[in-house]
Amino acid sequence: MINLKTFEVWFITGSQHLYGEETLNQVAEHSKQLAAALDSASQIPVRVVFKPTVKTTEEIYATIQEANIAENVIGIITWMHTFSPAKMWIRGLSILKKPMLHLHTQFNRDIPWSSIDMDFMNLNQSAHGDREFGFMVSRMRKNRKVVVGHWQDEEVLTQIGSWTRAAAGWHDWQGAKFARFGDNMRYVAVTDGDKVEAELKFGFAVNSYGIGDLVALIDSVSEEAIDGLLNEYESTYTLADDLKRGGARHSSVYEAAKIELGLRKFLEDGNFKGFTDTFEDLHGMVQLPGLAVQRLLADGYGFAGEGDWKTVALVRAFKVMGSGLPGGNAFMEDYTYHFDPNNALVLGSHMLEVDASLASGKASLEVHPLGIGGKADPARLVFNVAGGAALNASLIDMGNRFRLLVNEVEAVEPQNDLPNLPVARVLWKPLPDMKTGCAAWIYAGGAHHTAYSQNLNAEVIQDFADMADIEFLRIGKGTTIESFRNELRWNEVAYK
């Protein structure tokens, strides 16, 4: 699991020298209490670090410059306890490179009706201090998250926590490397895109590597390492007897272990955070890497099939953002439909590579023929995915911009046995309904590959899109085709 407590957001309070030392001391004390409360809140998975009150242009600039270069700082939270003249913030905001959340709160929850005086008013004036600051951020066209409410409210803490998860995902993309074995699946459009523009926009790099480099590592794996991994397989998953040592089909599991060990070494040696391959270009491999991919995904790597590097990166970001929450995040594909008018469903799956972080119950390690790829029968984990609220997300290259599309769904437990479908599988109902959800997805140009999440919501993904400064579209309970198509038209103008 990715440890989000290694990340920090800095809590920066704005004021000015106008009010005198006594007031500034109170501001500092209140700010320390707020930062400490946020830091200890269970809803916020990262560290929240108090920084001294900034009162001048120079102090603001120096603090933001320090935040920019601090390796483990993923963003800043700003709060104007008093009035902080916003021209002081211009230089600092102009160099800000990390995400910002503007917390519009005040130290006291209630007005002390019987004792309130002008000293109290001068100290507790976030109501207009934050508006002054907000104007400058808007004037400078800076993306940020605005959260309003008392700092002890559960909803406020939840919103801040969600934003920090998005900031962690965004931070993880900066300088990330993703490996692409071979090229994109031939003639497929939506899984390809502009890797140069992606590196400029998102901060991660995608480069291709020859499958021979991977095969050489697979072939160099020691028998001792293979034996140890086979022991892990047998203790972790349900295996048929003929797949265990001495069984008639054990060789398939043996080859899967070799592939996992070689692939893991390749990723670790190259400091990669995810990878993709295509079954059209796996020369020298005995079988397709199904089990290996599933297990690497469960360890936090990003993956997508057929050269789809954009979904690789998105799955990795979801893994980071959802770390520590119940449920999982995985590579997914809309595979086939159940068009029962009373119970319309999508069956999601992929050939081999949906990881078991989504599983309801213990996964079964199985070996079955695969009709494409021209390789030996591959090992894979077979399981059903739990029901509940979830979402699918697709990162799309629209030519003049990137678009991040989300469809909220309601997953349901399989109502029938699937004895002849030996893959990981999930059933869901697209929101607001099957026809609207699917039509809106297609109007938006959504891909057939997605990042599927059981523990992230659309607000987190929108925060992430805002940090990336890209288009965000949500399909959910209130979506209508008319309003959604209008949003697409307006966005074409906005992003022209």
Side-chain angles (χ1 to χ4, degrees):
M1 186 176 70
I2 297 153
N3 181 15
L4 298 185
K5 283 297 182 184
T6 61
F7 298 137
E8 295 179 1
V9 295
W10 283 3
F11 189 85
I12 303 172
T13 304
S15 187
Q16 59 178 326
H17 285 293
L18 178 66
Y19 306 110
E21 284 304 308
E22 183 179 352
T23 297
L24 287 175
N25 288 338
Q26 288 180 280
V27 167
E29 182 57 35
H30 289 174
S31 299
K32 288 178 183 178
Q33 289 186 46
L34 259 72
L38 298 181
D39 185 52
S40 63
S42 61
Q43 298 91 333
I44 301 174
V46 305
R47 296 294 316 281
V48 178
V49 177
F50 164 81
K51 304 302 289 185
T53 308
V54 291
K55 307 169 293 295
T56 65
T57 297
E58 292 74 21
E59 290 175 352
I60 293 167
Y61 185 88
T63 302
I64 291 179
Q65 187 177 49
E66 187 181 358
N68 278 340
I69 63 175
E71 187 175 351
N72 63 335
V73 173
I74 63 173
I76 64 172
I77 298 174
T78 58
W79 173 46
M80 306 303 115
H81 191 309
T82 63
F83 199 79
S84 179
K87 287 177 68 177
M88 295 193 307
W89 286 86
I90 292 174
R91 285 190 68 222
L93 290 174
S94 68
I95 65 164
L96 179 62
K97 300 297 185 185
K98 294 187 177 179
M100 177 171 64
L101 182 145
H102 181 190
L103 179 58
H104 185 42
T105 190
Q106 61 186 28
F107 184 74
N108 57 297
R109 193 195 71 172
D110 303 324
I111 294 175
W113 303 107
S114 62
S115 62
I116 188 170
D117 56 18
M118 285 309 301
D119 288 339
F120 182 94
M121 296 277 275
N122 283 334
L123 175 63
N124 300 284
Q125 50 179 303
S126 302
H128 69 288
D130 276 328
R131 293 169 195 255
E132 165 75 358
F133 176 76
F135 161 75
M136 187 51 67
V137 183
S138 294
R139 173 68 176 78
M140 296 178 70
R141 273 65 172 183
K142 302 288 287 187
N143 280 339
R144 82 285 203 187
K145 174 80 169 183
V146 177
V147 175
V148 179
H150 193 254
W151 51 279
Q152 293 175 318
D153 288 349
E154 291 290 322
E155 184 179 357
V156 167
L157 294 173
T158 298
Q159 284 186 285
I160 296 172
S162 294
W163 174 84
T164 64
R165 289 185 176 278
W170 177 247
H171 180 81
D172 185 75
W173 267 11
Q174 308 313 302
K177 297 194 300 181
F178 298 106
R180 194 183 195 199
F181 295 111
D183 200 358
N184 191 56
M185 183 179 173
R186 298 177 196 123
Y187 305 112
V188 178
V190 74
T191 54
D192 213 342
D194 189 336
K195 296 191 290 293
V196 174
E197 185 62 25
E199 189 163 351
L200 287 168
K201 192 70 175 172
F202 301 131
F204 63 72
V206 181
N207 287 294
S208 294
Y209 297 85
I211 198 67
D213 296 333
L214 175 59
V215 170
L217 286 176
I218 293 170
D219 289 342
S220 69
V221 171
S222 71
E223 290 298 321
E224 181 182 6
I226 296 170
D227 192 61
L229 188 53
L230 289 171
N231 288 334
E232 184 177 339
Y233 289 170
E234 292 192 17
S235 65
T236 305
Y237 310 114
T238 301
L239 279 75
D241 288 341
D242 66 345
L243 298 182
K244 298 177 182 178
R245 290 176 179 83
R249 296 190 297 155
H250 174 66
S251 62
S252 293
V253 181
Y254 176 91
E255 289 296 338
K258 280 184 65 177
I259 291 171
E260 178 181 341
L261 290 164
L263 184 51
R264 191 177 291 274
K265 180 170 174 53
F266 183 95
L267 297 172
E268 290 174 352
D269 289 351
N271 195 29
F272 295 105
K273 292 181 176 179
F275 63 102
T276 181
D277 60 21
T278 174
F279 57 86
E280 293 174 321
D281 187 7
L282 292 175
H283 182 71
M285 295 183 68
V286 174
Q287 61 179 254
L288 272 67
L291 178 61
V293 171
Q294 290 176 298
R295 286 174 50 83
L296 286 162
L297 272 164
D299 287 343
Y301 287 98
F303 175 82
E306 293 96 54
D308 185 359
W309 53 269
K310 297 189 299 299
T311 304
V312 171
L314 192 60
V315 169
R316 167 65 186 190
F318 276 29
K319 294 278 187 183
V320 174
M321 291 190 282
S323 181
L325 294 174
N329 294 276
F331 170 52
M332 187 59 68
E333 180 173 270
D334 297 62
Y335 232 104
T336 194
Y337 292 145
H338 183 61
F339 268 135
D340 180 345
N342 298 314
N343 188 33
L345 297 167
V346 177
L347 175 60
S349 184
H350 203 257
M351 294 184 302
L352 301 170
E353 302 101 344
V354 177
D355 79 88
S357 66
L358 305 180
S360 60
K362 190 174 183 179
S364 173
L365 198 165
E366 302 181 14
V367 174
H368 298 274
L370 189 67
I372 59 177
K375 301 291 181 182
D377 298 347
R380 82 290 299 270
L381 298 176
V382 178
F383 54 88
N384 291 327
V385 174
L391 61 80
N392 278 298
S394 175
L395 182 61
I396 316 150
D397 185 346
M398 296 300 293
N400 65 334
R401 66 188 185 277
F402 289 98
R403 169 179 288 169
L404 187 51
L405 175 64
V406 164
N407 185 196
E408 296 165 326
V409 305
E410 186 66 32
V412 298
E413 296 282 353
Q415 299 150 349
N416 301 280
D417 292 333
L418 299 164
N420 297 312
L421 187 63
V423 293
R425 54 271 176 128
V426 56
L427 292 165
W428 68 75
K429 297 176 180 287
L431 298 179
D433 57 70
M434 182 80 157
K435 291 182 178 180
T436 304
C438 293
W441 188 272
I442 290 171
Y443 276 123
H448 54 284
H449 287 168
T450 62
Y452 180 88
S453 179
Q454 296 172 317
N455 56 27
L456 300 174
N457 58 37
E459 183 178 6
V460 182
I461 313 307
Q462 180 161 17
D463 288 343
F464 184 80
D466 288 344
M467 293 170 191
D469 193 25
I470 61 172
E471 181 186 11
F472 173 82
L473 291 168
R474 171 184 163 273
I475 306 167
K477 285 184 179 179
T479 300
T480 67
I481 292 299
E482 181 182 16
S483 64
F484 191 78
R485 293 191 71 186
N486 278 336
E487 186 176 0
L488 291 172
R489 294 184 184 103
W490 299 331
N491 286 1
E492 284 298 323
V493 176
Y495 288 93
K496 187 173 182 179

